[in-house]
């Protein structure tokens, strides 16, 4: 028996270490926060890590997303798969599951099934509110986190005990800054992830999580802690007396989202399909350039656009910011690629 967790066990105790090794944790997002959190948790010995992410590795990720290397960019590996492969090299004793999927109101509850706690490592507030709804509905603790520039924010949410993210909507800083518009430095990623992972380890150690919003600005050397228990709203639509979980109410239609700062649009079908990427690649091979296919996605230059197409029918179209035009390009691509290559699931 190796002594991999010896130093950690001295601090936590053997019984807590055993609980950690039996835990199942869901990490949503495998970007900067997801990279840092998943590596810390893998090294800590979390028994089962599930990592969900919709994106693939690009050059701009390497500055702060510590799990990835240049080879991942060249191979256009989905982040969830690249993270899984790297973490398996770090700790081969645990189970690591990488899921290439866009998180939304129709799949979030299924993704959460069987997990003890959820770490939010997403890069957008809309998805965070969907996670918040599902976590409160299923009674699963949820660790919110966000960072931009040199500023980071964390908050642990325990259904039935603390205010939820919806309760805090009017009290959290909600400006238009994103990593794409103002950038981010990697030290704040590590600090924010450290707070999130510490909350996970406390919860697994049977230590109650306090309803405290932690905020840090490393550049300005500012640190604030705000106890927010009094902000729990009895009429909250997510965690109040008569919850309706508004952010899980996703209608069955294609969703289109402009990806801020990337001159790209993501499209996701309302219904779930499974496409044969190899067959689509064969059908379009004479009409595209720079074609790359791996088990998870297809990337090519189609007309004047770069398209990254996933097995479930989701696509990211680069070189366009108009959602309507993106729909047209998507439909043209599907028609040429062969819509008969899809199977509804």
């Amino acid at each position: 028996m190796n002594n991999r967790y010896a130093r950690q066990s001295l601090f936590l105790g053997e019984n807590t270490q055993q609980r950690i090794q039996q835990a199942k944790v869901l990490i949503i997002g495998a970007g900067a926060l997801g990279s840092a959190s998943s590596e810390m948790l893998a090294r800590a010995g979390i028994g089962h890590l599930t990592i969900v992410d919709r994106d693939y590795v690009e050059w701009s990720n390497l500055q702060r997303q510590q799990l990835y290397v240049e080879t991942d960019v060249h191979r256009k590996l989905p982040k969830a798969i690249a993270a899984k492969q790297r973490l398996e090299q770090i700790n081969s004793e645990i189970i690591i599951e990488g899921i290439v999927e866009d998180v939304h109101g129709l799949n979030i509850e299924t993704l959460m099934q069987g997990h003890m706690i959820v770490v939010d490592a997403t890069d957008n507030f809309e998805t965070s509110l969907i996670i918040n709804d599902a976590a409160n509905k299923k009674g699963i603790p949820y660790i919110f986190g966000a960072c931009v520039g040199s500023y980071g924010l964390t908050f642990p949410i325990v259904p039935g005990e603390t205010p939820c993210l919806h309760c805090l909507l009017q009290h959290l800083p909600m400006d238009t800054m994103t990593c794409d518009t103002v950038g981010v430095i990697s030290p704040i990623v590590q600090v924010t992830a450290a707070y999130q992972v510490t909350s996970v380890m406390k919860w697994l150690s049977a230590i109650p999580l306090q309803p405290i919003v932690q905020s840090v600005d490393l550049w300005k050397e500012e640190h604030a802690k705000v106890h927010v228990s009094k902000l729990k709203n009895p009429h909250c639509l997510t965690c109040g007396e008569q919850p309706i979980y508004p952010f899980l109410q996703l209608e069955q239609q294609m969703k289109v989202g402009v990806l801020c700062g990337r001159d790209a649009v993501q499209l996701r079908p309302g219904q779930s399909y499974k496409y044969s990427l190899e067959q689509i690649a064969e059908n379009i091979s004479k009409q595209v350039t720079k074609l790359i296919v791996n088990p998870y996605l297809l990337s090519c230059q189609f007309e004047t656009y770069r398209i990254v197409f996933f097995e479930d029918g989701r696509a990211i179209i680069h070189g366009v910011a108009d959602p309507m035009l993106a729909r047209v390009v998507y439909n043209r691509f599907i028609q040429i690629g062969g819509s008969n290559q899809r199977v509804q699931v």
Side-chain angles (χ1 to χ4, degrees), residues 105 109 112 130-140 159 238-239 243-245 248-249:
E109 293 182 66
M112 282 189 182
I130 290 172
I131 299 169
N132 177 68
D133 266 17
N136 277 273
K137 183 177 180 180
K138 298 182 75 66
I140 300 174
T238 295
C239 71
I244 63 171
Y245 310 110
L248 298 181
Q249 311 303 316

Side-chain angles (χ1 to χ4, degrees), residues 49-332:
L49 278 178
T50 304
I51 303 168
V52 184
D53 192 278
R54 68 187 183 182
D55 213 345
Y56 53 94
V57 184
E58 297 187 281
W59 287 107
S60 63
N61 302 149
L62 301 183
Q63 165 256 338
R64 67 197 180 281
Q65 299 180 17
Q66 65 190 48
L67 289 181
Y68 310 126
V69 295
E70 293 181 358
T71 305
D72 298 326
V73 179
H74 291 302
R75 296 169 63 196
K76 284 215 171 355
L77 270 187
K79 291 180 182 178
I81 303 304
K84 169 182 164 66
Q85 293 178 355
R86 175 59 174 158
L87 292 173
E88 286 174 339
Q89 294 177 325
I90 291 172
N91 192 342
S92 62
E93 298 177 355
I94 65 176
I95 299 171
I96 302 168
E97 185 178 3
I99 299 176
V100 185
E101 201 162 327
D102 185 34
V103 173
H104 50 78
L106 298 179
N107 65 2
I108 182 63
E109 293 182 66
T110 301
L111 291 170
M112 282 189 182
Q113 193 67 38
H115 292 86
M116 300 172 65
I117 193 166
V118 180
V119 176
D120 179 1
T122 62
D123 58 0
N124 68 86
F125 209 71
E126 178 185 358
T127 306
S128 294
L129 287 168
I130 290 172
I131 299 169
N132 177 68
D133 266 17
N136 277 273
K137 183 177 180 180
K138 298 182 75 66
I140 300 174
Y142 156 52
I143 313 302
F144 171 76
C147 58
V148 64
S150 60
Y151 176 83
L153 183 77
T154 58
F155 177 60
I157 296 165
V158 181
E161 297 181 19
T162 69
C164 76
L165 194 60
H166 201 177
C167 291
L168 302 184
L169 273 179
Q170 304 302 318
H171 306 279
L172 291 176
M174 294 285 290
D175 53 37
T176 58
M177 292 193 304
T178 70
C179 294
D180 289 317
T181 57
V182 302
V184 63
I185 57 173
S186 61
I188 192 59
V189 173
Q190 302 301 316
V191 170
T192 304
Y195 275 116
Q196 289 185 286
V197 171
T198 301
S199 291
V200 172
M201 296 178 75
K202 280 186 173 182
W203 176 259
L204 296 176
S205 303
I207 297 174
L209 297 180
Q210 298 300 313
I212 294 175
V213 174
Q214 298 260 13
S215 67
V216 179
D217 192 317
L218 291 178
W219 206 257
K220 297 178 180 178
E221 300 184 8
E222 296 174 350
H223 182 199
K225 296 171 60 175
V226 181
H227 200 289
V228 295
S229 59
K230 293 182 179 180
L231 298 181
K232 186 168 176 57
N233 179 7
H235 306 296
C236 175
L237 299 179
T238 295
C239 71
E241 297 169 356
Q242 295 181 312
I244 63 171
Y245 310 110
F247 298 98
L248 298 181
Q249 311 303 316
L250 185 68
E251 58 270 28
Q252 293 271 8
Q253 61 180 6
M254 176 177 283
K255 293 295 177 182
V256 181
V258 178
L259 302 183
C260 181
R262 292 175 61 181
D263 191 26
V265 172
Q266 175 179 265
L267 300 100
R268 172 170 49 79
Q271 293 179 309
S272 296
Y273 292 108
K274 185 172 183 179
Y275 287 82
S276 168
L277 297 178
E278 294 80 6
Q279 188 61 56
I280 290 178
E282 183 178 333
N283 292 346
I284 66 172
S285 60
K286 295 181 180 179
Q287 302 189 49
V288 301
T289 58
K290 301 179 181 178
L291 179 61
I292 298 174
V293 184
N294 61 42
Y296 315 102
L297 58 82
L298 177 156
S299 173
C300 67
Q301 189 73 26
F302 176 68
E303 298 175 352
T304 59
Y305 311 98
R306 181 163 68 89
I307 293 183
V308 179
F309 187 86
F310 296 84
E311 189 181 42
D312 61 0
R314 182 168 55 89
I316 298 175
I317 301 178
H318 294 261
V320 59
D322 181 356
M324 292 301 295
L325 177 56
R327 283 177 182 266
V328 172
V329 175
Y330 178 91
N331 290 332
R332 213 157 49 222

